[in-house]
Amino acid sequence: MLRIFHSDCRDTLKHKSLHWADSFSTACFFDSNQYADPYSAFDLFIATGVKKELIHTGKGSFNELDSFLAENKSYVLGYLSYDLKNDSEDLVSNNLDHLKFPEFHFFIPETIILIKGNEVHIESEQPEEIWRAINEFELSNIESADQKSKIQSRFSRGEYLDTVKAIQKHIQRGDIYEINFCQEFYAENTSINPLEIFSKLNKLSPTPFASYFKSDGLYVLSASPERFLSRRGSKIISQPIKGTSSRKTNAIQDENQKRALLENEKERSENVMIVDLVRNDLTKSAKEGTVKVEELFGLYSFKQVHQMISTVVCEAKESLSNPQIISNTFPMGSMTGAPKISAMQLAEKYERSKRGVYSGALGYFAPNGDFDFNVVIRTILYNENSKYLSFHVGSAITLDSDPEKEYEECILKGKAITEVLS
């Protein structure tokens, strides 16, 4: 049953809705933070409760998802972990895994809330009761906890620099052109209030693909600025990010930072390499001659950083299902490198932790056949049962990379997370 309500207090409604949703053992919400996006379908999307779910930890995941979607023409939300690369390629993931998340997890919710402007669409068996419960929720009753986590790294600074230099030797030999090399930061025996941490992160670093996913003590708290793949009608959209610079409080200095990023030949080269990789991935799903670069080197500013984002689009072949289209491009090129297979093999060799949900994708399938998935970056992963918390950061390594600058870029990307946890 669908009902439409109206509210002029968007921020208050947002906070009440999130806290109401968090009372369920399984919940998911996506927040666009009012960023202007021609492909966004909502300002806030909340889903709670489980009618059906699909959880898998082995081979055949995309085929299972295909069958699940074919049988259930409804909203389906969830994530795909990076390690599903092993599902379609002859690859392995043998690095340490302390988080113990399933390879993927999708569910059909009992209740869906879509907010766009001042319109609130509630689809549920009892939409009026849910609307009443949200509006009657008392934010003043929320207790704030003093939460601090002792963050450690799998790499010392020196070890990271030495590893980047070792990777550059592979580039010199021609094994790869570029690799997204990632390192894990983690905390053991730590207790946090995940919703409170997410709320702080979303306030400190609001992004267009912010998301919160919880299921039976497993949490994904994401401030992602990047879209992996979206479908609108027959159009497929990918928006890889390559190129990062810090923000400045002084307006003139901040503009100089943007200009320097746009004119940086190394950053432009990295962006072009990944755009070419994405174009190649999309040709597997595209009608002939429809793959094109809609925007190259777009400069977008977020609260913490400036980013260089390109947009690649195509028209999808009618014969392919949505999971097949996603599988053809997964994992996203911005998180692997080029050539893709060789880069993933070397990442497995030099990284010290299983990526898991990090650099995977979190999003939704809609009943009309559309979908939208982010890239899981700038994200905290938390296992409440084992009290293990983790976040990865990475950067693109090329022959021209300065290892010191790459390390500083990683620290910059993790700055907002570090702040909310410290």
Side-chain angles (χ1 to χ4, degrees):
M1 186 183 301
L2 174 64
R3 291 286 186 271
I4 300 175
F5 304 91
H6 294 83
S7 174
D8 294 323
C9 304
R10 183 162 54 186
D11 285 344
T12 300
L13 177 64
K14 170 178 166 178
H15 290 301
K16 286 188 174 185
S17 298
L18 298 188
H19 283 88
W20 170 83
D22 196 51
S23 65
F24 293 81
S25 63
T26 298
C28 183
F29 39 88
F30 306 113
D31 189 355
S32 69
N33 284 300
Q34 281 80 60
Y35 276 92
D37 176 7
Y39 301 115
S40 180
F42 53 80
D43 295 332
L44 191 70
F45 182 178
I46 301 172
T48 62
V50 177
K51 286 184 180 177
K52 291 183 182 179
E53 63 184 346
L54 181 65
I55 303 174
H56 198 65
T57 56
K59 291 281 185 180
S61 299
F62 285 106
N63 290 334
E64 280 194 83
L65 181 57
D66 208 338
S67 299
F68 189 73
L69 292 176
E71 294 167 4
N72 300 282
K73 301 298 183 184
S74 57
Y75 278 105
V76 177
L77 301 90
Y79 68 78
L80 301 157
S81 80
Y82 167 81
D83 301 285
L84 288 176
K85 63 184 174 59
N86 310 330
D87 197 61
S88 51
E89 303 291 346
D90 186 19
L91 297 167
V92 295
S93 298
N94 292 325
N95 285 326
L96 288 170
D97 176 20
H98 292 286
L99 282 162
K100 307 298 183 184
F101 278 62
E103 296 295 309
F104 79 75
H105 185 176
F106 285 90
F107 73 101
I108 299 172
E110 293 174 335
T111 297
I112 291 165
I113 303 172
L114 287 170
I115 301 175
K116 184 105 176 165
N118 66 352
E119 277 196 358
V120 183
H121 295 233
I122 300 180
E123 188 174 338
S124 181
E125 289 184 359
Q126 298 174 316
E128 286 84 3
E129 285 193 20
I130 290 168
W131 178 243
R132 191 182 307 112
I134 291 171
N135 280 281
E136 291 176 354
F137 190 92
E138 292 290 341
L139 290 174
S140 59
N141 292 336
I142 300 168
E143 293 184 7
S144 180
D146 181 20
Q147 302 171 84
K148 293 182 180 180
S149 300
K150 182 182 177 183
I151 305 299
Q152 305 176 71
S153 175
R154 295 288 172 197
F155 288 85
S156 68
R157 186 188 188 103
E159 289 170 336
Y160 176 88
L161 301 181
D162 289 344
T163 304
V164 170
K165 292 171 186 175
I167 289 171
Q168 287 177 313
K169 290 180 181 178
H170 287 279
I171 299 173
Q172 286 177 324
R173 291 200 296 264
D175 299 335
I176 53 169
Y177 308 113
E178 176 184 355
I179 183 173
N180 193 299
F181 172 55
C182 304
Q183 57 175 318
E184 183 194 22
F185 292 84
Y186 67 98
E188 298 174 301
N189 299 316
T190 190
S191 294
I192 64 169
N193 180 324
L195 180 60
E196 187 175 336
I197 291 293
F198 170 76
S199 297
K200 289 179 179 178
L201 181 61
N202 201 27
K203 183 178 180 180
L204 182 64
S205 182
T207 58
F209 301 101
S211 50
Y212 179 97
F213 179 93
K214 64 174 290 192
S215 181
D216 297 326
L218 301 178
Y219 291 86
V220 182
L221 321 176
S222 181
S224 174
E226 184 172 358
R227 170 179 275 125
F228 160 45
L229 206 65
S230 179
R231 180 173 191 150
R232 295 292 177 254
S234 62
K235 188 176 185 179
I236 306 298
I237 306 104
S238 183
Q239 295 181 299
I241 292 179
K242 270 291 169 276
T244 303
S245 71
S246 60
R247 298 294 308 266
K248 299 294 183 183
T249 53
N250 178 281
I252 295 174
Q253 291 178 343
D254 200 47
E255 281 300 313
N256 290 338
Q257 284 286 95
K258 288 173 68 175
R259 190 178 305 110
L261 175 59
L262 188 59
E263 295 173 356
N264 187 304
E265 286 303 318
K266 173 186 172 292
E267 303 283 13
R268 291 167 70 92
S269 175
E270 289 177 10
N271 196 285
V272 167
M273 259 191 271
I274 298 308
V275 165
D276 284 343
L277 191 157
V278 171
R279 288 172 63 192
N280 182 64
D281 281 350
L282 286 182
T283 58
K284 302 170 189 174
S285 305
K287 291 180 180 177
E288 189 173 349
T290 64
V291 177
K292 63 179 181 179
V293 179
E294 203 167 66
E295 182 181 32
L296 187 65
F297 308 141
L299 252 292
Y300 293 83
S301 298
F302 303 98
K303 199 167 181 179
Q304 299 285 325
V305 293
H306 299 297
Q307 302 268 206
M308 191 183 291
I309 305 175
S310 295
T311 301
V312 189
V313 301
C314 74
E315 292 293 316
K317 294 176 183 175
E318 286 99 350
S319 59
L320 295 179
S321 67
N322 284 335
Q324 288 172 323
I325 291 169
I326 292 173
S327 177
N328 284 342
T329 59
F330 193 84
M332 59 293 301
S334 61
M335 296 306 297
T336 61
K340 202 169 186 178
I341 302 300
S342 299
M344 288 190 287
Q345 289 171 332
L346 286 175
E348 175 68 19
K349 177 179 179 180
Y350 286 104
E351 292 174 4
R352 296 180 177 178
S353 307
K354 184 178 179 180
R355 291 193 188 181
V357 181
Y358 171 75
S359 71
L362 175 61
Y364 69 91
F365 296 96
N368 65 356
D370 287 354
F371 64 78
D372 205 358
F373 283 83
N374 72 5
V375 178
V376 181
I377 53 176
R378 323 290 160 84
T379 296
I380 299 168
L381 302 173
Y382 180 56
N383 186 325
E384 188 175 50
N385 306 309
S386 64
K387 301 193 181 306
Y388 186 85
L389 180 149
S390 168
F391 66 95
H392 279 73
V393 288
S395 67
I397 308 301
T398 66
L399 193 58
D400 296 329
S401 292
D402 179 334
E404 290 279 358
K405 289 182 178 178
E406 297 300 335
Y407 185 82
E408 292 304 324
E409 181 177 322
C410 288
I411 299 303
L412 172 63
K413 288 175 176 176
K415 182 180 177 182
I417 292 176
T418 303
E419 283 189 35
V420 300
L421 291 174
S422 63

